[in-house]
Coordinates of all heavy atoms in Angstrom, one line a residue:
M1 N 30.2 4.9 74.3 CA 30.0 5.2 72.8 C 30.9 4.4 72.0 O 32.1 4.1 72.3 CB 30.4 6.7 72.6 CG 29.3 7.7 73.2 SD 27.7 7.5 72.4 CE 28.1 8.2 70.7
P2 N 30.4 4.0 70.8 CA 31.3 3.2 69.9 C 32.3 4.0 69.3 O 32.2 5.2 69.2 CB 30.3 2.7 68.9 CG 29.2 3.7 68.9 CD 29.1 4.2 70.3
D3 N 33.4 3.4 68.9 CA 34.4 4.1 68.2 C 33.9 4.6 66.8 O 33.0 4.0 66.3 CB 35.6 3.2 67.9 CG 36.3 2.7 69.2 OD1 36.3 3.5 70.1 OD2 36.9 1.7 69.2
P4 N 34.4 5.7 66.3 CA 34.0 6.2 65.0 C 34.3 5.1 64.0 O 35.4 4.4 64.0 CB 34.9 7.4 64.8 CG 35.3 7.8 66.1 CD 35.4 6.6 67.0
I5 N 33.3 4.9 63.1 CA 33.5 3.8 62.1 C 34.5 4.2 61.0 O 34.5 5.4 60.7 CB 32.1 3.4 61.5 CG1 32.3 2.1 60.7 CG2 31.5 4.5 60.7 CD1 31.1 1.2 60.8
S6 N 35.3 3.3 60.6 CA 36.3 3.6 59.6 C 36.1 2.8 58.3 O 36.8 2.9 57.4 CB 37.7 3.5 60.1 OG 37.9 2.2 60.6
R7 N 35.2 1.8 58.4 CA 35.1 0.9 57.3 C 33.6 0.8 56.9 O 32.7 1.0 57.7 CB 35.6 -0.5 57.7 CG 37.1 -0.6 57.7 CD 37.5 -1.9 58.2 NE 39.0 -2.0 58.3 CZ 39.7 -2.4 57.3 NH1 39.2 -2.8 56.1 NH2 41.0 -2.4 57.4
C8 N 33.4 0.5 55.6 CA 32.1 0.3 55.1 C 31.4 -0.9 55.7 O 32.0 -2.0 55.8 CB 32.2 0.1 53.6 SG 30.6 -0.3 52.8
T9 N 30.2 -0.7 56.3 CA 29.5 -1.8 56.9 C 29.1 -2.9 56.0 O 29.0 -4.0 56.3 CB 28.3 -1.2 57.6 OG1 28.7 -0.2 58.5 CG2 27.6 -2.3 58.4
S10 N 28.9 -2.5 54.7 CA 28.5 -3.5 53.7 C 29.6 -4.3 53.2 O 29.5 -5.5 53.1 CB 27.7 -2.8 52.6 OG 26.6 -2.1 53.0
C11 N 30.7 -3.7 52.7 CA 31.7 -4.4 52.1 C 33.0 -4.4 52.8 O 33.9 -5.2 52.5 CB 31.9 -3.9 50.7 SG 32.7 -2.2 50.6
G12 N 33.2 -3.6 53.8 CA 34.3 -3.7 54.7 C 35.6 -2.9 54.3 O 36.6 -3.0 54.9
I13 N 35.5 -2.2 53.1 CA 36.6 -1.5 52.7 C 36.7 -0.2 53.6 O 35.7 0.3 54.1 CB 36.6 -1.1 51.2 CG1 35.5 -0.1 51.0 CG2 36.4 -2.3 50.4 CD1 35.6 0.5 49.6
P14 N 38.0 0.3 53.7 CA 38.1 1.6 54.4 C 37.3 2.7 53.7 O 37.3 2.7 52.5 CB 39.6 1.8 54.4 CG 40.2 0.5 54.1 CD 39.2 -0.3 53.3
L15 N 36.7 3.5 54.5 CA 35.9 4.6 53.9 C 36.8 5.7 53.3 O 37.8 6.0 53.9 CB 35.0 5.2 54.9 CG 33.9 4.2 55.4 CD1 33.1 4.9 56.6 CD2 32.9 3.9 54.3
S16 N 36.4 6.1 52.2 CA 37.1 7.3 51.6 C 36.5 8.6 52.1 O 35.4 8.5 52.7 CB 37.1 7.3 50.1 OG 35.7 7.4 49.7
R17 N 37.1 9.6 52.0 CA 36.6 10.9 52.5 C 35.5 11.5 51.7 O 34.6 12.2 52.2 CB 37.7 11.9 52.7 CG 38.6 11.6 53.8 CD 39.8 12.5 53.9 NE 40.6 12.5 52.7 CZ 41.6 13.2 52.4 NH1 41.9 14.1 53.3 NH2 42.3 13.1 51.3
E18 N 35.5 11.2 50.4 CA 34.7 12.0 49.5 C 33.2 11.5 49.4 O 32.3 12.2 49.4 CB 35.2 11.9 48.0 CG 36.4 12.8 47.9 CD 36.8 13.0 46.4 OE1 35.9 12.9 45.6 OE2 38.0 13.1 46.2
H19 N 33.1 10.2 49.4 CA 31.8 9.6 49.1 C 31.2 8.8 50.3 O 30.1 8.2 50.1 CB 31.8 8.8 47.8 CG 32.3 9.5 46.6 ND1 31.5 10.6 46.1 CD2 33.4 9.4 45.9 CE1 32.2 11.1 45.1 NE2 33.3 10.4 44.9
D20 N 31.9 8.8 51.3 CA 31.4 7.9 52.4 C 30.3 8.6 53.2 O 30.1 9.8 53.1 CB 32.5 7.6 53.4 CG 33.1 8.8 54.1 OD1 32.8 9.9 53.6 OD2 33.8 8.7 55.0
V21 N 29.5 7.8 53.8 CA 28.5 8.3 54.7 C 28.6 7.5 56.0 O 28.9 6.4 56.0 CB 27.0 8.2 54.1 CG1 26.8 9.2 53.0 CG2 26.8 6.8 53.6
M22 N 28.3 8.2 57.0 CA 28.3 7.6 58.4 C 27.0 8.0 59.0 O 26.6 9.1 58.9 CB 29.5 8.1 59.2 CG 30.8 7.7 58.6 SD 32.1 8.5 59.6 CE 33.4 8.6 58.3
F23 N 26.4 7.0 59.6 CA 25.1 7.3 60.3 C 24.9 6.3 61.4 O 25.5 5.3 61.5 CB 24.0 7.2 59.3 CG 23.9 5.9 58.5 CD1 23.0 4.9 58.9 CD2 24.7 5.7 57.4 CE1 23.0 3.7 58.2 CE2 24.7 4.5 56.7 CZ 23.8 3.5 57.1
I24 N 24.0 6.7 62.3 CA 23.6 5.8 63.4 C 22.5 4.9 62.9 O 21.6 5.3 62.2 CB 23.2 6.7 64.6 CG1 24.3 7.7 65.0 CG2 22.8 5.8 65.7 CD1 25.5 7.0 65.5
C25 N 22.6 3.7 63.4 CA 21.6 2.7 63.0 C 20.2 3.2 63.4 O 20.0 3.6 64.5 CB 21.9 1.4 63.8 SG 20.6 0.1 63.6
P26 N 19.3 3.2 62.4 CA 18.0 3.7 62.6 C 17.1 2.8 63.5 O 16.1 3.2 64.0 CB 17.4 3.9 61.2 CG 18.1 2.9 60.4 CD 19.5 2.8 61.0
N27 N 17.6 1.6 63.7 CA 16.8 0.7 64.5 C 17.1 0.7 66.0 O 16.3 0.9 66.8 CB 17.0 -0.7 64.0 CG 16.0 -1.7 64.6 OD1 14.8 -1.5 64.6 ND2 16.6 -2.8 65.2
C28 N 18.4 0.7 66.3 CA 18.8 0.7 67.7 C 19.3 2.0 68.1 O 19.5 2.2 69.3 CB 19.8 -0.4 68.0 SG 21.4 -0.3 67.1
N29 N 19.7 2.9 67.2 CA 20.2 4.2 67.5 C 21.4 4.2 68.4 O 21.6 5.0 69.3 CB 19.1 5.1 68.2 CG 18.0 5.5 67.2 OD1 18.4 6.1 66.2 ND2 16.8 5.3 67.5
N30 N 22.2 3.1 68.3 CA 23.3 2.9 69.2 C 24.6 2.5 68.5 O 25.6 2.5 69.2 CB 22.8 1.8 70.2 CG 23.7 1.7 71.4 OD1 24.1 2.8 71.9 ND2 24.0 0.5 71.9
V31 N 24.5 2.2 67.3 CA 25.7 1.7 66.6 C 25.9 2.6 65.3 O 25.0 2.9 64.6 CB 25.5 0.2 66.1 CG1 26.7 -0.3 65.3 CG2 25.2 -0.6 67.3
Q32 N 27.2 3.0 65.2 CA 27.5 3.8 64.0 C 27.8 2.9 62.8 O 28.5 1.9 62.9 CB 28.7 4.6 64.3 CG 28.9 5.7 63.2 CD 30.0 6.6 63.6 OE1 31.0 6.3 64.3 NE2 29.9 7.9 63.2
L33 N 27.2 3.2 61.7 CA 27.4 2.4 60.5 C 28.0 3.3 59.4 O 27.9 4.5 59.4 CB 26.0 2.0 59.9 CG 25.2 1.2 60.9 CD1 23.8 0.9 60.4 CD2 25.8 -0.2 61.3
G34 N 28.7 2.7 58.5 CA 29.4 3.4 57.4 C 29.1 2.8 56.1 O 28.9 1.6 56.0
R35 N 29.1 3.6 55.1 CA 28.9 3.1 53.7 C 29.8 3.8 52.8 O 29.9 5.0 52.8 CB 27.5 3.3 53.3 CG 26.5 2.6 54.1 CD 25.1 2.7 53.6 NE 24.8 1.6 52.6 CZ 23.8 1.6 51.8 NH1 23.0 2.6 51.7 NH2 23.7 0.6 51.0
C36 N 30.5 3.0 51.9 CA 31.3 3.7 50.9 C 30.4 4.2 49.8 O 29.2 3.8 49.7 CB 32.4 2.7 50.4 SG 31.7 1.3 49.5
G37 N 31.0 5.0 48.9 CA 30.2 5.5 47.8 C 29.7 4.4 46.9 O 28.6 4.5 46.3
N38 N 30.5 3.4 46.7 CA 30.1 2.3 45.8 C 28.8 1.6 46.4 O 27.9 1.4 45.6 CB 31.3 1.3 45.7 CG 31.0 0.3 44.6 OD1 30.5 0.7 43.6 ND2 31.4 -0.9 44.8
C39 N 28.8 1.2 47.6 CA 27.7 0.6 48.2 C 26.5 1.5 48.2 O 25.3 1.1 48.1 CB 28.0 0.1 49.6 SG 29.2 -1.3 49.6
R40 N 26.7 2.8 48.4 CA 25.7 3.7 48.4 C 25.0 3.8 47.0 O 23.8 3.8 46.9 CB 26.3 5.1 48.8 CG 25.3 6.0 49.6 CD 26.0 7.2 50.0 NE 25.4 8.4 49.4 CZ 26.0 9.5 49.0 NH1 27.3 9.6 49.2 NH2 25.3 10.5 48.5
N41 N 25.8 3.8 46.0 CA 25.3 3.8 44.7 C 24.5 2.6 44.4 O 23.5 2.6 43.6 CB 26.4 4.0 43.7 CG 27.0 5.4 43.7 OD1 26.4 6.3 44.1 ND2 28.2 5.5 43.2
Q42 N 24.9 1.5 44.9 CA 24.3 0.2 44.6 C 23.1 -0.1 45.6 O 22.5 -1.1 45.5 CB 25.3 -0.9 44.6 CG 26.4 -0.8 43.6 CD 27.4 -1.9 43.7 OE1 27.3 -2.8 44.5 NE2 28.4 -1.9 42.8
S43 N 22.9 0.8 46.5 CA 22.0 0.5 47.6 C 22.2 -0.8 48.2 O 21.3 -1.6 48.4 CB 20.5 0.6 47.1 OG 20.3 2.0 46.6
A44 N 23.5 -1.1 48.5 CA 23.8 -2.4 49.0 C 23.2 -2.6 50.5 O 23.1 -1.6 51.2 CB 25.3 -2.6 49.1
I45 N 22.9 -3.8 50.8 CA 22.3 -4.0 52.1 C 23.4 -3.9 53.2 O 24.6 -4.3 53.0 CB 21.8 -5.5 52.2 CG1 20.6 -5.7 51.2 CG2 21.4 -5.9 53.6 CD1 19.4 -4.9 51.5
Y46 N 23.1 -3.3 54.3 CA 24.0 -3.3 55.4 C 23.3 -4.0 56.6 O 22.1 -4.0 56.6 CB 24.4 -1.8 55.8 CG 23.2 -1.0 56.3 CD1 22.7 -1.0 57.6 CD2 22.6 -0.1 55.4 CE1 21.7 -0.3 58.0 CE2 21.6 0.7 55.8 CZ 21.1 0.6 57.1 OH 20.0 1.4 57.5
I47 N 24.1 -4.5 57.4 CA 23.6 -5.2 58.6 C 24.2 -4.6 59.8 O 25.4 -4.6 59.9 CB 23.8 -6.7 58.5 CG1 23.2 -7.3 57.3 CG2 23.3 -7.4 59.8 CD1 23.5 -8.8 57.1
C48 N 23.4 -4.1 60.7 CA 23.9 -3.5 61.9 C 24.6 -4.6 62.8 O 23.9 -5.6 63.1 CB 22.8 -2.8 62.7 SG 23.3 -2.2 64.3
P49 N 25.8 -4.4 63.2 CA 26.5 -5.4 64.0 C 26.0 -5.4 65.4 O 26.2 -6.4 66.2 CB 28.0 -5.0 64.0 CG 27.9 -3.5 63.7 CD 26.7 -3.3 62.8
G50 N 25.2 -4.4 65.8 CA 24.7 -4.3 67.1 C 23.4 -5.1 67.3 O 23.2 -5.8 68.3
C51 N 22.5 -4.8 66.4 CA 21.1 -5.4 66.5 C 20.7 -6.3 65.4 O 19.6 -6.9 65.4 CB 20.1 -4.2 66.7 SG 19.9 -3.2 65.2
G52 N 21.5 -6.3 64.3 CA 21.2 -7.2 63.2 C 20.2 -6.6 62.2 O 19.8 -7.3 61.3
F53 N 19.9 -5.4 62.4 CA 19.0 -4.7 61.4 C 19.6 -4.7 60.0 O 20.7 -4.3 59.9 CB 18.7 -3.3 61.9 CG 17.9 -2.5 61.0 CD1 16.5 -2.6 60.9 CD2 18.5 -1.5 60.2 CE1 15.7 -1.9 60.1 CE2 17.7 -0.7 59.4 CZ 16.3 -0.9 59.3
E54 N 18.7 -5.0 59.1 CA 19.2 -4.9 57.7 C 18.5 -3.8 57.0 O 17.3 -3.6 57.1 CB 18.8 -6.2 56.9 CG 19.6 -7.4 57.4 CD 19.3 -8.6 56.5 OE1 18.9 -8.5 55.4 OE2 19.4 -9.7 57.1
G55 N 19.2 -3.0 56.3 CA 18.6 -1.8 55.6 C 19.4 -1.4 54.4 O 20.6 -1.7 54.3
P56 N 18.7 -0.7 53.5 CA 19.3 -0.1 52.3 C 19.9 1.2 52.6 O 19.5 1.8 53.7 CB 18.2 0.0 51.3 CG 17.0 0.1 52.2 CD 17.3 -0.6 53.5
Ligands
ZN1 ZN1 31.1 -0.6 50.6
ZN2 ZN1 21.3 -1.4 65.2

């Protein structure tokens, strides 16, 4: 299992507790992704480091 993610997958900042979201990549179901509140609000693109999937 991958380590729990601690940084935003989109911008790389450490995740805050209040607005962060963590989820498993919907494409490979094998990699944990994180998004900070800022990237979430902006619907920033994330790229799965495991499979290269890009998603909002
Ligand atoms: Zn971010
Ligand atoms: Zn993936």
Side-chain angles (χ1 to χ4, degrees):
M1 288 294 289
D3 293 333
I5 191 144
S6 59
R7 287 175 179 271
C8 173
T9 304
S10 296
C11 69
I13 68 166
L15 292 174
S16 66
R17 286 175 300 176
E18 286 190 32
H19 301 294
D20 63 346
V21 287
M22 300 173 205
F23 53 99
I24 301 297
C25 172
N27 189 53
C28 64
N29 288 308
N30 195 39
V31 179
Q32 191 173 32
L33 305 172
R35 300 185 86 193
C36 67
N38 192 38
C39 290
R40 214 175 118 210
N41 288 339
Q42 296 178 1
S43 296
I45 297 291
Y46 62 82
I47 300 177
C48 172
C51 69
F53 174 77
E54 293 184 26

